[in-house]
Amino acid sequence: MGSWAGLMTRDDVTSAHSGPQPRRYEIWVRGHLGETMRSAFPALRARPRGADTVLTGALPDQAALYGVLAEIEALGLELLEVRRLLARDEDEPGGGDDH
């Protein structure tokens, strides 16, 4: 096998056979978003976290993630962090970390 074989995960093998699986993401942006700004992200739940906003939700593939990131840029929002959530992190913004 090639040297990259050890880097593949079970998810990589599964998704290669059944298509990409939706992934949950947590996306932090600077400031609080008003209703109009939140409406630009219908697939994501927006919650204030301190002085910032956390957008959380499932996206079907990387193209959808890039679309959200492009919308953040187009709206002039400051992107602070993008995190793919693991199953244990999905219910808690920040994955238990203090931000």
Side-chain angles (χ1 to χ4, degrees):
M1 286 190 192
S3 61
W4 58 269
L7 299 176
M8 291 184 67
T9 67
R10 182 174 162 192
D11 288 341
D12 295 330
V13 173
T14 301
S15 65
H17 295 291
S18 62
Q21 300 297 313
R23 304 275 188 190
R24 289 190 48 82
Y25 290 92
E26 183 178 272
I27 302 167
W28 291 67
V29 295
R30 173 109 35 231
H32 291 165
L33 303 185
E35 186 176 336
T36 302
M37 288 284 207
R38 288 192 314 264
S39 70
F41 308 101
L44 302 174
R45 178 179 178 191
R47 293 192 289 181
R49 180 82 168 192
D52 304 320
T53 298
V54 181
L55 301 168
T56 308
L59 298 172
D61 53 28
Q62 276 195 331
L65 173 61
Y66 291 144
V68 168
L69 298 177
E71 187 68 18
I72 288 170
E73 181 180 23
L75 292 171
L77 299 173
E78 182 181 351
L79 177 66
L80 300 175
E81 181 177 347
V82 177
R83 179 182 300 178
R84 190 175 91 192
L85 298 177
L86 301 175
R88 71 182 193 290
D89 295 335
E90 290 184 0
D91 294 329
E92 183 177 341
D97 296 340
D98 290 330
H99 285 268

